[in-house]
Amino acid sequence: MHKSGNIVVKLARWRTLALADASKETLEILSRLVGFDTVSDRSNLGLVGYVEDYLRDLDIPFETIPTEDGTKASILARIGPQRPGGVILSAHSDVVPVEGQDWSSNPFELRIENGRAYGRGTCDMKGFFASVLAAAPKFKAEHLETPIYFAFSYDEEVGCAGVAPLIQRIREICDGPRACIVGEPTGMEPVTAHTGKQIFQCDFFGTPMHSSLAPRGRNAITAAAEVLNELNRFVAELSCFKTSDTRFPITHPTINVGTIEGGKATNIVAEYCKFVVEYRHPPGTPENALRDELSTIFAAIPDQMGRFRETASYPSFLLPNGSRALDLVQQEGEPRQTHAVNYGTEAGLFAEAGIDTVVLGPGDIQQAHQPDEFIELSELASCDAFLQELCAELSKGTLACQLPA
Ligand SMILES: [Zn+2]
């Protein structure tokens, strides 16, 4: 039986393992993964097929969970015994679009230069994905006492919309995994809290008219602008709701209007306009403040000219102190430094399912979603080393569920 102290001692080595570079396997797999254009609004089945073949070749049991329309799928794989407990390694397969970004080379072709791997998704988060797949043969060969699960989702970049059926399946067929590591880019530092998010689409309906008769029409853009004015006022109110968790770079809820479209021509009174606004809330701040505000604002709009609806949401995330999941990723002999971030991940959804979760993965979030997105090869090497240590630990039965004495 292992005390949590033992876990810390063992796993602490990965930070100092003298790996100069990412493994050849990790880079080869990363090159394949980047080659699949898995922007969230497209099918990820090409990538899924590749991963299925890879797992099949290694004789690793897995299940593919397709969407209703069959255009996307997530994958749940298990290495090690079918017994209670275990650790989930979670990655999303989708990436953000490249349109309108100034890339120096094909975003869907891995380019390695100056100690960095460039390509869409290298940092967020196909780097971690590749490192996990590259570790699979070692996991397989190690005769694990504790099961390790791979959970590969889709549609994370559009509000963590795709992971729910995967988590549902984990609850159905896996017996109480004890920990989950979500490999989003954190520079291999443990993140134990993040904001939750809600996304709202606001639609406005006008009465079109030749613009020479503008006063007789009703302009959808103008109606939207009035609501935006109200939201600008609301921003100031949000700064009053502060979390006491000062690890957060921004401690109060925030809103952002990310897109707006509407109108057909300068000489037509606009018939339609829409904008999309997001609300991010740190744990412990009001979850529904924007929803409530929008309800009040839209109730005052006359003649059904406007309506709003939530299009996606995910919960905020806070790992309780003393969680054993944290033992898996802590550095020996150092203060237990953890981080909180204002972006979101699937961690909150795993936590809601009762699984202790830590966000930890290679790469810097600054490079995510950017043109010429890259990951430092040293970060990948660090992740490779981490997974190697994790493998050694799980081969001893750590985080397997213990039978009652
Ligand atoms: Zn991500």
Side-chain angles (χ1 to χ4, degrees):
M1 204 139 301
H2 298 272
K3 290 187 210 124
S4 65
N6 288 352
I7 306 172
V8 177
V9 172
K10 281 296 163 201
L11 285 183
R13 277 181 52 220
W14 65 268
R15 283 191 196 276
T16 43
L17 278 186
L19 288 187
D21 238 335
S23 76
K24 193 169 98 308
E25 291 79 13
T26 297
L27 288 178
E28 274 172 16
I29 295 169
L30 181 57
S31 165
R32 292 298 305 272
L33 295 180
V34 167
F36 296 105
D37 174 354
T38 52
V39 173
S40 308
D41 65 358
R42 286 152 218 175
S43 169
N44 73 341
L45 293 184
L47 180 147
V48 166
Y50 164 72
V51 175
E52 284 176 331
D53 288 345
Y54 183 86
L55 295 172
R56 216 174 274 128
D57 283 351
L58 290 170
D59 204 20
I60 292 171
F62 66 89
E63 204 175 291
T64 303
I65 304 148
T67 52
E68 234 162 67
D69 66 2
T71 58
K72 295 175 188 172
S74 49
I75 295 177
L76 176 59
R78 188 194 80 241
I79 308 179
Q82 188 159 18
R83 60 176 278 192
V87 175
I88 301 168
L89 299 176
S90 145
H92 62 80
S93 62
D94 58 319
V95 296
V96 296
V98 297
E99 278 75 28
Q101 294 188 332
D102 188 14
W103 282 75
S104 347
S105 61
N106 181 353
F108 300 107
E109 199 175 301
L110 192 72
R111 172 167 62 93
I112 295 177
E113 212 175 288
N114 301 324
R116 295 169 170 176
Y118 291 85
R120 174 52 88 223
T122 46
C123 172
D124 183 10
M125 59 185 289
K126 289 177 172 175
F128 178 77
F129 201 143
S131 189
V132 166
L133 285 179
K138 277 191 215 89
F139 286 134
K140 178 77 182 165
E142 199 60 41
H143 301 294
L144 301 178
E145 290 290 324
T146 308
I148 188 149
Y149 297 97
F150 295 167
F152 302 135
S153 70
Y154 55 85
D155 281 0
E156 191 273 348
E157 297 290 4
V158 286
C160 298
V163 78
L166 179 58
I167 292 176
Q168 179 59 34
R169 201 64 192 129
I170 289 171
R171 298 177 77 159
E172 283 162 13
I173 65 169
C174 307
D175 198 351
R178 298 281 299 277
C180 174
I181 297 167
V182 175
E184 292 281 355
T186 66
M188 295 305 288
E189 292 288 329
V191 165
T192 58
H194 68 59
T195 57
K197 179 160 101 163
Q198 293 166 332
I199 302 172
F200 298 97
Q201 179 173 324
C202 302
D203 296 287
F204 300 88
F205 308 93
T207 309
M209 189 74 58
H210 191 286
S211 61
S212 61
L213 301 171
R216 296 183 189 172
R218 295 191 308 175
N219 191 311
I221 295 176
T222 313
E226 280 171 23
V227 172
L228 288 172
N229 253 335
E230 295 288 328
L231 288 180
N232 278 339
R233 260 194 292 278
F234 179 60
V235 168
E237 290 174 30
L238 284 178
S239 55
C240 305
F241 302 117
K242 280 200 169 67
T243 169
S244 55
D245 188 341
T246 51
R247 294 176 303 162
F248 277 97
I250 298 173
T251 54
H252 56 78
T254 57
I255 68 173
N256 180 55
V257 179
T259 63
I260 185 165
E261 60 189 71
K264 287 276 192 313
T266 46
N267 57 4
I268 302 173
V269 173
E271 183 175 13
Y272 177 70
C273 182
K274 79 165 179 187
F275 66 80
V276 179
V277 56
E278 62 155 46
Y279 176 65
R280 289 177 190 259
H281 51 93
T285 62
E287 287 172 33
N288 292 313
L290 178 60
R291 182 202 304 279
D292 295 346
E293 184 68 15
L294 287 173
S295 295
T296 307
I297 295 172
F298 275 80
I301 299 176
D303 304 330
Q304 325 247 296
M305 265 192 91
R307 63 170 185 236
F308 77 97
R309 66 192 167 92
E310 183 185 290
T311 55
S313 71
Y314 57 77
S316 62
F317 161 61
L318 179 62
L319 183 73
N321 279 335
S323 151
R324 295 194 72 193
L326 196 52
D327 291 339
L328 284 179
V329 297
Q330 284 286 338
Q331 173 97 348
E332 182 192 3
E334 283 188 353
R336 297 201 142 198
Q337 206 188 1
T338 59
H339 303 266
V341 294
N342 287 95
Y343 60 85
T345 76
E346 294 170 342
L349 291 160
F350 281 102
E352 265 192 353
I355 303 164
D356 274 4
T357 303
V358 177
V359 187
L360 175 131
D364 183 340
I365 193 71
Q366 304 266 6
Q367 269 91 54
H369 303 192
Q370 297 297 311
D372 286 339
E373 175 178 347
F374 68 86
I375 189 164
E376 302 279 353
L377 298 185
S378 59
E379 286 281 310
L380 287 175
S382 190
C383 188
D384 287 343
F386 166 69
L387 292 173
Q388 214 168 296
E389 289 292 283
L390 183 66
C391 179
E393 194 59 39
L394 297 184
S395 68
K396 295 182 306 191
T398 304
L399 289 184
C401 276
Q402 288 149 11
L403 297 170

